[in-house]
Amino acid sequence: MKNKELIRIGNNTSPVFVSEIPDKHFKRLWQLHVGSHTNTTVVVLADKQVYDLHQSWIESFTSRLNITVANTQLLVAGEKIKQLAVAETIINEWIALSIPKNAIILCIGGGTITDLGGFIASVYKRGLRLINIPTSLMAMTDASIGGKNALNLGTYKNQIGTFHAPLFTFVAPEFLKTLPETEMASGYAEMMKHGLLEGKNFLKKMLNIVPNAAAPSTSLLVDSIRIKIQIVDSDPTEKSKRMFLNLGHTFGHAYEGFFATSGQPITHGCAIAWGLTEILFASESICNLHSKKIKDVAAWLNQHYRFDTIPIWEQLKEYIVSDKKNISSSFRIVLLNELGRPFIQAIDENGLKSIHSLFCNKNGLRNLGINN
Ligand SMILES: NC(=O)c1ccc[n+]([C@@H]2O[C@H](COP(=O)([O-])OP(=O)(O)OC[C@H]3O[C@@H](n4cnc5c(N)ncnc54)[C@H](O)[C@@H]3O)[C@@H](O)[C@H]2O)c1
């Protein structure tokens, strides 16, 4: 893929377009997926920071459409907006404004915006059309793709959610120019998850990445999106293979919830990086997974996503118990038989406790103030 200005990934149902010249492509895609009739009602849900930074640019490609923007919600992004109360406030406003059922929600922002927007789009008048314009690396490679959305209940992650696929997702890497370094690193962690699920060339390329402020090449970005889309398309409603995308998330979400409650929130990607490391060690121990590459990935994660303290099992437990992937009294986690060969394992609470203990005691981890 060289010098291609517009790349399409995925099938007709909910494709992703990566565009290096958004003002050239957005209108064309809009007409293709929405139509060229005039006065379509649009409601915008956008990250305030992103909107402030990119307003004239965003307007340069949205102003060419024949639309009526009936309402613009500018939100301060973060886990705090992924709440039912926030969704309810916006829905009330839209009802007061008589936003019709044939309106389109345009979400512009990171994963917290696309999760909130996707949820509202799926419930408002039983479903509005949705278009995503992700602006963080996390949202471009993961959160805005595949039609899954979620809200938190307090600090318990993603307890409520629906499936509601966007008409299309429009990825403009240009947005990444203003993404802070910690947020870029957060996105790279989910890309490494894609690497572990793929296990081949993409993983190899990821191991050479230093997850700092530099945005990935368009080709790496496209590869990462392609891995997610292939999995989603094979199982859109998460009955089987799509669960593999939860690799590292049982512990990752628990870390995220724990640190949010303790008042020192960490990025989603940072939490996932730790969850992934924990699962690599578990796979090594449970599945006899031995490979130099596993050690390389663990070292990569360990080097780039540092925590000062690992919470002990008793601190993590309540977040793990609330995790959405539980069935009855057992939990489902994703382990790796080999790189690129994930599988689902049912496990009880004691099993998870042992995995955590193994992780905390693993040789080679730097001194992290572990206290169990
Ligand atoms: N639904 C899914 O399939 C899925 C998958 C992965 C992650 N997620 C969710 O996504 C969320 C994390 O996404 P996120 O990391 O994008 O969070 P986010 O929306 O909070 O964005 C992170 C930060 O980056 C800023 N930002 C975003 N784009 C920017 C830009 N172009 N320039 C400057 N600043 C910018 C935001 O203002 C925010 O401060 C989590 O809630 C996670 O659960 C969902």
Side-chain angles (χ1 to χ4, degrees):
M1 187 222 33
K2 278 200 179 96
N3 299 325
K4 256 186 124 183
E5 296 166 353
L6 182 69
I7 296 144
R8 177 210 162 100
I9 311 156
N11 60 29
N12 279 334
T13 325
S14 185
V16 178
F17 295 94
V18 180
S19 164
E20 281 169 356
I21 315 180
D23 25 359
K24 178 172 168 192
H25 298 132
F26 193 67
K27 183 174 179 184
R28 211 168 89 203
L29 294 172
W30 184 282
Q31 287 177 339
L32 202 67
H33 292 271
V34 179
S36 45
H37 33 270
T38 51
N39 277 338
T40 305
T41 302
V42 171
V43 279
V44 176
L45 206 76
D47 179 322
K48 185 176 180 328
Q49 176 161 308
V50 171
Y51 208 85
D52 289 348
L53 285 167
H54 297 275
Q55 183 169 1
S56 59
W57 188 62
I58 292 170
E59 286 172 0
S60 79
F61 60 88
T62 51
S63 63
R64 295 173 195 203
L65 311 171
N66 289 319
I67 57 173
T68 304
V69 178
N71 184 247
T72 299
Q73 298 279 339
L74 298 181
L75 303 166
V76 177
E79 292 300 318
K80 286 203 174 82
I81 63 163
K82 285 180 46 171
Q83 294 288 339
L84 273 176
V86 176
E88 193 181 350
T89 304
I90 293 170
I91 288 170
N92 275 326
E93 240 178 89
W94 289 354
I95 288 172
L97 289 167
S98 303
I99 302 299
K101 188 174 166 48
N102 65 358
I104 292 185
I105 300 188
L106 186 58
C107 285
I108 306 171
T112 57
I113 297 283
T114 56
D115 263 5
L116 175 69
F119 180 79
I120 298 175
S122 76
V123 295
Y124 184 83
K125 298 196 188 289
R126 295 197 188 81
L128 299 189
R129 289 171 295 171
L130 164 73
I131 292 173
N132 280 334
I133 303 185
T135 64
S136 68
L137 185 58
M138 171 70 64
M140 289 182 188
T141 55
D142 201 350
S144 74
I145 302 168
K148 200 166 102 169
N149 60 63
L151 299 182
N152 305 326
L153 267 186
T155 49
Y156 296 120
K157 281 279 298 183
N158 295 352
Q159 299 295 301
I160 303 159
T162 64
F163 290 97
H164 188 72
L167 285 182
F168 67 93
T169 296
F170 187 72
V171 174
E174 178 76 19
F175 280 111
L176 297 178
K177 287 186 177 158
T178 57
L179 192 69
E181 182 165 342
T182 44
E183 300 302 337
M184 195 73 84
S186 175
Y188 276 119
E190 288 276 17
M191 288 174 72
M192 179 52 90
K193 177 193 78 180
H194 291 163
L196 288 167
L197 294 174
E198 183 253 14
K200 298 184 199 114
N201 278 344
F202 179 76
L203 175 60
K204 214 162 130 191
K205 287 183 202 162
M206 280 303 299
L207 283 170
N208 288 321
I209 290 284
V210 177
N212 56 20
S217 65
T218 304
S219 112
L220 198 72
L221 190 65
V222 167
D223 286 350
S224 187
I225 295 170
R226 205 161 261 144
I227 292 166
K228 167 132 191 190
I229 293 245
Q230 268 167 7
I231 295 174
V232 168
D233 282 354
S234 69
D235 175 27
T237 52
E238 202 173 324
K239 299 280 187 294
S240 54
K241 270 190 178 170
R242 187 169 181 165
M243 288 182 212
F244 296 157
L245 289 165
N246 295 327
L247 186 75
H249 280 56
T250 298
F251 284 100
H253 280 164
Y255 286 127
E256 202 176 353
F258 171 79
F259 283 102
T261 310
S262 72
Q264 294 171 311
I266 54 171
T267 62
H268 179 67
C270 192
I272 295 310
W274 277 76
L276 289 175
T277 316
E278 193 139 8
I279 285 305
L280 285 177
F281 292 157
S283 299
E284 205 175 25
S285 158
I286 298 169
C287 320
N288 236 351
L289 174 68
H290 285 293
S291 121
K292 172 169 177 323
K293 241 192 207 135
I294 289 286
K295 293 193 173 29
D296 291 346
V297 179
W300 186 91
L301 291 164
N302 200 22
Q303 181 185 351
H304 298 299
Y305 301 89
R306 301 177 75 94
F307 277 10
D308 295 327
T309 321
I310 297 178
I312 58 170
W313 171 253
E314 283 66 28
Q315 292 168 309
L316 279 190
K317 189 175 140 182
E318 62 169 293
Y319 298 94
I320 288 189
V321 169
S322 75
D323 194 76
K324 65 183 184 303
K325 293 170 283 293
N326 308 341
I327 27 165
S328 62
S329 59
S330 73
F331 300 78
R332 282 180 291 177
I333 56 165
V334 185
L335 295 174
L336 293 168
N337 257 327
E338 275 175 37
L339 291 168
R341 285 194 50 207
F343 70 100
I344 309 290
Q345 175 70 52
I347 190 164
D348 64 13
E349 199 178 306
N350 277 333
L352 288 174
K353 187 177 175 185
S354 304
I355 288 177
H356 192 59
S357 164
L358 171 78
F359 177 57
C360 292
N361 296 320
K362 186 80 186 165
N363 283 339
L365 272 180
R366 58 189 187 285
N367 183 356
L368 290 157
I370 296 163
N371 52 352
N372 72 337

